[in-house]
Amino acid sequence: MKTKLAFLILSLFVVLESGVSAEETNDNVEAQVQALLAQMSLEEKVGQMTQIDFSVVSVLNGEVADNPIDQAKLEDAILNRHIGSILNTPTTPNNQTQPIEKWRRMTQAIRDVAAKSRLKIPVLYGIDAIHGATYTENAVLFPQAISMAATFNPDLAFKEGEVTAREVKASGLDWNFMPVMDIGRQPLWPRLWETYGEDVHLAVTMGSAYIHGHHGDDFADADKAPTCLKHYVGYSYPLNGKDRTPAWIGERALREYFLPGFEAGVKAGAPTVMVNSAEVDGIPGHVNHHYLNTILRGEMGFKGFTVSDWADISRLYTRDKLAASPREAVKMAVMAGVDMSMVPFDYSFYDLLLDLAKTGEVPLSRIDEAVSRILRVKYQSGLFDRHEPALDVEGNFVTDEAVAANRQAAREAIILAKNDQHILPLSKQASILVTGPTANLLSVMNGGWTITWQGATEHLYPKDKPTLLQAIQQKTTGKVTYVGGKNFSDEINIEQAVTQARQHDVVILALGEKTYTETEGNIESLHLDPVQLQLARAIFEIGKPVVLVTFGGRPRIITEVANKAQAVVLGFLPGMEGGAAMADILFGDTNPSGKLPISYPRDVNDIVMYDHKPIEAFESNQYRPLYPFGHGLSYTTFQTSGLRLSKDNIAMGENIDVTVKVKNTGALTGKETVMVYLHDVAASVSRPVKQLKAFKKIELKPGAEQTLQFSLTPQDMSFIGVDMRRIVEPGEFEVMVGNEVARFQVVKP
Ligand code: NOJ
């Protein structure tokens, strides 16, 4: 009775408040959370911490059923098990895209049952909308993160966040498992392409912009949605390159390379964090109290909730052998700081945690803490205020503006790596042979989490989006011949390709990878498939000019082919508009401006990052990738000059301003990214030869010049010192832009 009264008073208080400040809003949410928590039974609390896969409440073959919901199962999940969250699509692992109206009906059925529950706590529906609303039919699917990074254009990442949140919400969904803030410094890893590449500053900039677009001012707004930072932390750096295998990351490297992305994500307001599925230094992510509490909450000030990755709590027992039983696994993970379990196929977590709580092995205070965090995000997301999809489909799904933004992102993502004798752009009258396994597929440009989990079901792809071949055919009047198969693995008739090559002006050779994600994408080597090399070698023998185009998530080794080709265009995963955008570039309708977000390796073991240590480029050691980080040509030329610093000396704690001029010295309008690198000349811990600290992308007409200004902060000059604290040391620094270097001193106080 007492608690009910308290709840009423608090609710009244909340309702009476309007036009309140952010701080007061927080207080209101806090009051609502505490009032609700006070009414909850232990079962209801443990249920909130449980996330199940849709298949648990789906009929058989739910992906094709008109109504995939098994009402009895859904009611059991929500009314008896009180589950807090659902993820995925009706059939896992064969997740498949669903029409938007069906999504709205499915999520409505869930909202309707939640509304019948005792406390009417909404279910939070999570989805991997990693490059747009992945599982909603015909959604706008952007370039994947590696390609978004290649745009060096945070405005486009912001736009992607906006469009994704809007389409997720129009689908009736609530919560997006994106952005990936892992740093991509292990090119063999099958999820490299889900990252923003090897550089910390670039990843921080693009990831933060994405979150801001996705959240707007308030992610409770109808067209906004909460994000989830993943996979905290160190997941992206497996020593052997295979997914979900150990990383060995010392504290300094962790703080310097792997934490800043998450720190930035927390600062940008991401309210949820997904835990690293693997392990760092022998400690699985899901039991790492130090990372989940001391660092994430203590140092970064994260206030939201953490969610496990797929089945990873039970894997502490079944795989990692840290726990002696499934029960102990639940206890370890919850006590380490995991707030929600992506179980995902049963109620084992619910049953075990309930029992652990009843016996006091997991204290109630810990349950209350986790549940408060989850409820807080539900309130902050506006879930309690809505009983139907937040947005209409009309005007919010596949708008012309969203499609145009996607096309622009794809254009800016594509990297012109080589262009001998200006063979590109091609004439639209040229006769062209198009061949190679990535020439006529949409899947190879989209990657995993596209329509299906692995993204490989080509026949489900939209019919109105052109492959590279189709886009070339649409754009040109010359003869275009294709020699290739229908599927990635179809054998290409090399003899026929060679015969045809002789009869055309130029060959567009499209190589690369098929689509994949997660462990299914593990490979033994970065070498290209031997058959692709055979095709390339046979074509080169006849001496016709070759334009090499690549698609795929990892930098497969193309050195031999790239050296012989007249032009090389790196597509990575430019998304649904990739074919059209690639044709725009090949024929000069778009001037390329993409820059490499990774160092493109020369050979399989050439794994040296651009921000390597001096020792990695000393004596016979070299940084000698096929193409360096930041590389990317244009059809025009740019020159940077006049690099100037605001001062020669600054005091500790001061900023320094950098000025540089950039000029379009060619004959075409184009976009250039000006990159500012910093080097701490001598320090008590070895420092990278250079680190990107700022960049700006601008468009210039032929002959036009612009002066750009940047400000470098003490944070930019800092590093993780001997005692693991972030410090700035006095001494000399070099600022590098283009071919110029300027020096300044940080002076002791
Ligand atoms: C496993 C993946 O590691 C993670 O990125 C994803 O969000 C979850 N599964 C949910 O699908």
Side-chain angles (χ1 to χ4, degrees):
M1 190 62 210
K2 239 187 186 168
T3 48
K4 261 207 178 137
L5 193 63
F7 178 61
L8 279 177
I9 293 171
L10 280 167
S11 311
L12 195 64
F13 168 78
V14 166
V15 172
L16 286 176
E17 292 285 292
S18 61
V20 287
S21 70
E23 215 166 277
E24 283 168 317
T25 311
N26 285 343
D27 288 349
N28 288 352
V29 167
E30 218 39 62
Q32 287 172 304
V33 167
Q34 291 314 319
L36 184 52
L37 191 71
Q39 294 188 74
M40 291 170 77
S41 67
L42 180 59
E43 286 76 5
E44 285 163 337
K45 290 177 182 174
V46 168
Q48 281 304 309
M49 296 171 68
T50 306
Q51 183 187 55
I52 55 167
D53 186 79
F54 193 158
S55 58
V56 177
V57 298
S58 171
V59 298
L60 219 63
N61 300 327
E63 80 276 20
V64 289
D66 189 42
N67 172 18
I69 297 229
D70 182 321
Q71 192 66 19
K73 288 184 183 169
L74 182 64
E75 290 188 359
D76 183 45
I78 297 177
L79 304 179
N80 301 333
R81 307 294 185 143
H82 321 286
I83 51 116
S85 180
I86 301 181
L87 86 155
N88 255 335
T89 77
T91 331
T92 300
N94 305 315
N95 291 303
Q96 190 177 305
T97 190
Q98 301 290 325
I100 192 161
E101 289 301 341
K102 185 171 166 188
W103 264 123
R104 291 166 70 89
R105 288 197 304 275
M106 295 190 296
T107 54
Q108 192 56 42
I110 295 167
R111 280 186 291 272
D112 288 346
V113 177
K116 283 200 284 183
S117 68
R118 192 175 78 90
L119 295 171
K120 308 187 187 343
I121 304 177
V123 170
L124 183 64
Y125 204 114
I127 203 86
D128 288 287
I130 76 163
H131 64 133
T134 312
Y135 288 131
T136 306
E137 235 168 69
N138 296 321
V140 174
L141 296 183
F142 276 79
Q144 296 280 6
I146 194 77
S147 287
M148 289 305 297
T151 69
F152 275 74
N153 187 341
D155 294 345
L156 291 170
F158 183 91
K159 200 78 217 161
E160 182 195 7
E162 265 187 353
V163 170
T164 303
R166 185 178 286 275
E167 299 206 347
V168 159
K169 290 295 277 290
S171 307
L173 299 158
D174 306 314
W175 174 31
N176 184 4
F177 302 136
M178 189 62 190
V180 170
M181 293 308 275
D182 299 315
I183 300 293
R185 296 174 78 88
Q186 166 49 288
L188 202 58
W189 185 49
R191 307 187 74 174
L192 177 85
W193 54 273
E194 294 181 51
T195 77
Y196 293 110
E198 77 188 41
D199 179 63
V200 175
H201 179 73
L202 180 59
V204 160
T205 308
M206 300 304 282
S208 303
Y210 177 90
I211 295 169
H212 288 308
H214 207 282
H215 287 184
D217 294 334
D218 184 351
F219 60 77
D221 289 347
D223 58 345
K224 303 295 174 192
T227 52
C228 181
L229 309 175
K230 60 192 197 180
H231 309 78
Y232 184 77
V233 56
Y235 177 46
S236 59
Y237 203 50
L239 184 63
N240 70 18
K242 303 284 167 64
D243 187 41
R244 294 191 163 80
T245 59
W248 297 92
I249 304 175
E251 189 175 345
R252 180 167 296 104
L254 186 85
R255 291 184 178 281
E256 182 120 11
Y257 298 101
F258 298 96
L259 289 176
F262 291 93
E263 217 171 327
V266 170
K267 203 164 149 215
T272 70
V273 166
M274 192 182 292
V275 183
N276 171 6
S277 241
E279 60 173 63
V280 177
D281 289 349
I283 314 286
H286 290 75
V287 296
N288 202 323
H289 189 275
H290 181 61
Y291 289 179
L292 292 172
N293 286 284
T294 320
I295 297 181
L296 181 64
R297 295 188 185 276
E299 295 182 21
M300 297 186 196
F302 177 65
K303 299 265 187 302
F305 74 83
T306 58
V307 58
S308 85
D309 202 346
W310 191 260
D312 280 326
I313 296 187
S314 58
R315 284 180 186 147
L316 293 171
Y317 166 66
T318 57
R319 181 191 63 188
D320 302 321
K321 308 296 174 198
L322 251 86
S325 65
R327 190 172 189 277
E328 194 184 5
V330 170
K331 180 179 170 185
M332 288 173 101
V334 172
M335 293 313 292
V338 181
D339 299 315
M340 181 183 278
S341 172
M342 190 186 290
V343 188
F345 290 131
D346 58 37
Y347 297 106
S348 55
F349 172 84
Y350 173 88
D351 292 334
L352 293 167
L353 183 56
L354 194 58
D355 191 53
L356 285 159
K358 281 183 179 158
T359 59
E361 286 162 273
V362 171
L364 260 184
S365 55
R366 172 66 192 113
I367 307 265
D368 283 350
E369 178 182 69
V371 176
S372 313
R373 290 169 180 165
I374 294 164
L375 293 177
R376 190 175 301 131
V377 174
K378 290 187 175 186
Y379 276 110
Q380 288 169 336
S381 308
L383 255 55
F384 283 88
D385 308 328
R386 263 183 228 119
H387 308 289
E388 47 199 40
L391 287 178
D392 291 340
V393 176
E394 187 58 38
N396 292 303
F397 189 64
V398 197
T399 62
D400 291 347
E401 195 206 344
V403 174
N406 188 19
R407 177 83 168 259
Q408 187 58 22
R411 287 174 176 143
E412 293 197 26
I414 291 168
I415 300 149
L416 176 64
K418 176 179 179 182
N419 193 16
D420 276 4
Q421 276 105 44
H422 304 291
I423 182 176
L424 293 180
L426 297 171
S427 151
K428 287 181 186 163
Q429 284 86 51
S431 76
I432 301 169
L433 168 69
V434 179
T435 187
T438 60
N440 198 21
L441 295 171
L442 288 170
S443 55
V444 295
M445 298 189 292
N446 278 281
W449 313 105
T450 307
I451 299 172
T452 60
W453 174 43
Q454 291 295 317
T457 318
E458 188 72 27
H459 71 91
L460 293 177
Y461 274 68
K463 304 289 172 269
D464 60 338
K465 298 293 173 194
T467 63
L468 171 60
L469 171 68
Q470 291 161 346
I472 292 171
Q473 286 167 334
Q474 284 166 15
K475 203 177 270 290
T476 62
T477 54
K479 176 170 131 192
V480 177
T481 305
Y482 173 60
V483 177
K486 282 205 160 53
N487 300 304
F488 186 88
S489 52
D490 288 352
E491 209 175 296
I492 293 178
N493 185 329
I494 295 184
E495 216 172 295
Q496 199 190 343
V498 168
T499 310
Q500 286 298 333
R502 286 187 213 279
Q503 294 163 27
H504 291 77
D505 300 334
V506 60
V507 179
I508 294 182
L509 178 62
L511 306 183
E513 293 188 312
K514 64 176 188 197
T515 163
Y516 55 83
T517 185
E518 299 195 57
T519 314
E520 321 237 333
N522 282 346
I523 49 173
E524 307 302 321
S525 159
L526 279 174
H527 278 306
L528 272 183
D529 292 342
V531 288
Q532 296 191 35
L533 271 183
Q534 275 167 27
L535 172 68
R537 284 174 186 152
I539 300 270
F540 284 124
E541 280 212 346
I542 62 162
K544 279 280 162 101
V546 172
V547 175
L548 170 66
V549 170
T550 64
F551 292 116
R554 275 172 295 220
R556 302 300 286 260
I557 302 306
I558 54 167
T559 307
E560 178 189 331
V561 189
N563 284 342
K564 290 186 188 151
Q566 270 69 23
V568 178
V569 193
L570 306 172
F572 288 97
L573 296 170
M576 224 38 110
E577 301 294 330
M582 185 61 90
D584 288 342
I585 284 178
L586 293 176
F587 296 96
D589 290 340
T590 293
N591 193 351
S593 64
K595 303 274 185 190
L596 267 170
I598 55 165
S599 301
Y600 203 108
R602 179 173 297 276
D603 209 338
V604 287
N605 291 325
D606 176 32
I607 312 297
V608 185
M609 305 294 110
Y610 89 91
D611 53 349
H612 52 274
K613 297 298 183 70
I615 200 171
E616 290 172 275
F618 189 66
E619 295 179 338
S620 58
N621 290 341
Q622 286 180 59
Y623 174 64
R624 209 173 60 96
L626 178 62
Y627 304 116
F629 173 87
H631 173 69
L633 305 171
S634 164
Y635 294 149
T636 187
T637 47
F638 295 96
Q639 202 177 5
T640 52
S641 64
L643 175 63
R644 271 191 301 112
L645 304 179
S646 53
K647 290 179 179 173
D648 296 334
N649 299 311
I650 58 167
M652 202 82 95
E654 262 189 284
N655 286 1
I656 191 158
D657 294 335
V658 179
T659 309
V660 67
K661 284 187 287 191
V662 54
K663 186 171 183 183
N664 183 340
T665 49
L668 279 176
T669 297
K671 288 189 175 179
E672 174 67 330
T673 301
V674 176
M675 303 181 197
V676 179
Y677 293 92
L678 189 66
H679 174 219
D680 186 343
V681 175
S684 55
V685 169
S686 75
R687 300 302 303 139
V689 294
K690 62 177 191 176
Q691 278 183 311
L692 184 68
K693 295 296 178 185
F695 63 85
K696 272 185 194 153
K697 187 170 191 173
I698 54 158
E699 185 169 55
L700 288 176
K701 296 215 159 69
E705 186 175 64
Q706 197 174 322
T707 301
L708 298 180
Q709 283 201 312
F710 302 88
S711 202
L712 298 176
T713 64
Q715 174 78 16
D716 294 326
M717 298 163 210
S718 71
F719 64 94
I720 307 301
V722 175
D723 65 357
M724 296 300 166
R725 275 174 229 261
R726 193 168 269 286
I727 52 164
V728 178
E729 280 181 350
E732 191 183 4
F733 286 80
E734 290 174 339
V735 178
M736 292 165 256
V737 183
N739 296 325
E740 294 181 289
V741 183
R743 295 179 175 79
F744 71 95
Q745 297 273 341
V746 172
V747 191
K748 261 199 201 134

